[in-house]
């Protein structure tokens, strides 16, 4: 009887230990994700388009010597065979500049943002999107994106644009559209953009992917 009791005590002790270990790991994971989110939220507040870079000019053209660049490739474990285009090289340069993968991703996304993508939000061609943006004083497409999503900007142009897009959306979806924010509205126009859907179809077709959702 004593042997059974000792065995049970040992079992429950071990079970309690492993349970506590699992709980500690869960807590560590939760804290890690919270801190990561806080860090990313902080990085998103940085204006990477106006930031001064050592190896990028104001037009984001790369100006770096091969020794420094190749050292960055090695130090940050980039795969040199996969560095084939501007965005690949830009990633290396940004990592050399900031030494942070999250900062790199956010900055690269904004710097390489295209007028074509603006067209997915406002249902215009790439050319017309650029013209509209430049008429508003934007030399970079991401600035137009910021303008669209800024809840405090209610310019005549923006209100007129939203009203026209709203009518086109309602005709397309055959239902009344009611949104509570610019973010919600432009997320919807992006989702329903036929240009975007076609671009995704072509992309997945090229990749040989079938039955995908876009």
């Amino acid at each position: 009887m004593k042997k059974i009791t000792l065995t049970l005590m040992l079992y429950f002790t071990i079970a309690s230990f492993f349970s506590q270990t699992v709980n500690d790991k869960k807590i560590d994971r939760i804290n890690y994700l919270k801190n990561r989110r806080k860090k990313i939220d902080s990085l998103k507040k940085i204006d990477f388009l106006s930031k001064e870079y050592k190896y990028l000019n104001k037009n984001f053209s790369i100006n770096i010597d091969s020794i420094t660049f190749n050292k960055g490739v090695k130090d940050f474990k980039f795969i040199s065979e996969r560095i084939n285009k501007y965005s690949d090289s830009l990633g290396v340069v940004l990592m050399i500049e900031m030494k942070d993968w999250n900062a790199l991703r956010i900055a690269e996304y904004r710097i390489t943002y295209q007028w074509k993508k603006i067209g997915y939000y406002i249902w215009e061609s790439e050319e017309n999107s650029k013209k509209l943006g430049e008429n508003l004083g934007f030399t970079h497409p991401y600035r137009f994106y910021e303008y669209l999503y800024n809840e405090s900007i209610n310019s005549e142009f923006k209100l007129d644009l939203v009203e026209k897009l709203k009518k086109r959306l309602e005709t397309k979806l055959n239902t009344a559209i009611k949104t509570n924010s610019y973010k919600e509205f432009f997320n919807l126009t992006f989702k329903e953009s036929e240009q975007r859907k076609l671009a995704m179809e072509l992309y997945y077709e090229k990749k040989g992917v079938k039955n995908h959702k876009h």
Side-chain angles (χ1 to χ4, degrees):
M1 184 69 178
K2 288 183 178 180
K3 187 175 181 180
I4 294 173
T5 301
L6 288 172
T7 302
L8 286 172
M9 287 176 63
L10 179 62
Y11 169 79
F12 285 118
T13 299
I14 294 173
S16 177
F17 171 77
F18 280 108
S19 176
Q20 184 62 45
T21 301
V22 170
N23 287 335
D24 287 344
K25 286 183 177 179
K26 285 183 178 179
I27 292 172
D28 288 343
R29 177 65 175 169
I30 291 171
N31 288 334
Y32 165 77
L33 292 174
K34 283 182 178 179
N35 290 332
R36 183 173 181 272
R37 172 48 57 189
K38 188 182 294 185
K39 179 182 178 182
I40 291 174
D41 287 343
S42 178
L43 288 170
K44 285 181 177 179
K45 295 177 183 178
I46 298 174
D47 188 348
F48 289 105
L49 297 183
S50 62
K51 176 181 170 63
E52 289 190 8
Y53 298 94
K54 185 175 181 179
Y55 302 113
L56 296 174
N57 65 19
K58 291 183 178 180
N59 295 319
F60 306 108
S61 294
I62 297 171
N63 183 20
I64 187 172
D65 63 273
S66 60
I67 294 175
T68 304
F69 183 86
N70 291 332
K71 185 177 184 300
V73 171
K74 182 179 179 181
D75 289 349
F76 299 108
K77 295 180 173 57
F78 285 92
I79 301 173
S80 57
E81 291 79 11
R82 295 184 181 177
I83 303 173
N84 302 311
K85 54 186 184 294
Y86 167 77
S87 59
D88 302 328
S89 299
L90 177 64
V92 177
V93 170
L94 289 173
M95 195 60 187
I96 293 171
E97 296 261 11
M98 298 184 287
K99 298 176 176 57
D100 185 285
W101 290 104
N102 290 314
L104 180 159
R105 282 189 284 270
I106 295 170
E108 183 179 27
Y109 176 79
R110 295 179 184 179
I111 290 171
T112 60
Y113 204 86
Q114 299 177 329
W115 291 108
K116 176 175 64 176
K117 193 168 183 180
I118 289 295
Y120 299 160
Y121 291 97
I122 64 174
W123 293 11
E124 291 285 353
S125 67
E126 180 177 0
E127 182 181 351
N128 286 342
S129 297
K130 185 176 182 179
K131 285 180 180 178
L132 289 171
E134 289 176 344
N135 287 340
L136 290 168
F138 303 129
T139 57
H140 193 286
Y142 192 78
R143 293 300 190 202
F144 200 166
Y145 170 85
E146 290 177 320
Y147 168 82
L148 293 176
Y149 273 74
N150 191 323
E151 301 295 341
S152 64
I153 296 178
N154 298 295
S155 66
E156 183 179 348
F157 171 85
K158 189 172 178 181
L159 293 173
D160 184 58
L161 173 66
V162 169
E163 186 60 30
K164 288 177 179 177
L165 284 171
K166 182 172 178 288
K167 290 178 180 178
R168 292 173 68 183
L169 259 176
E170 289 177 335
T171 299
K172 182 178 187 293
L173 301 177
N174 195 29
T175 186
I177 300 297
K178 184 178 180 181
T179 54
N180 298 312
S181 65
Y182 287 127
K183 178 180 179 180
E184 187 179 350
F185 179 78
F186 285 112
N187 281 350
L188 182 58
T189 60
F190 180 82
K191 178 185 176 183
E192 295 299 331
S193 168
E194 292 301 326
Q195 293 169 265
R196 183 192 68 83
K197 291 179 180 180
L198 177 59
M200 293 302 292
E201 287 287 351
L202 294 173
Y203 171 80
Y204 284 117
E205 183 180 319
K206 185 177 180 180
K207 293 288 184 180
V209 179
K210 297 180 179 179
N211 302 321
H212 58 84
K213 292 183 179 180
H214 51 264

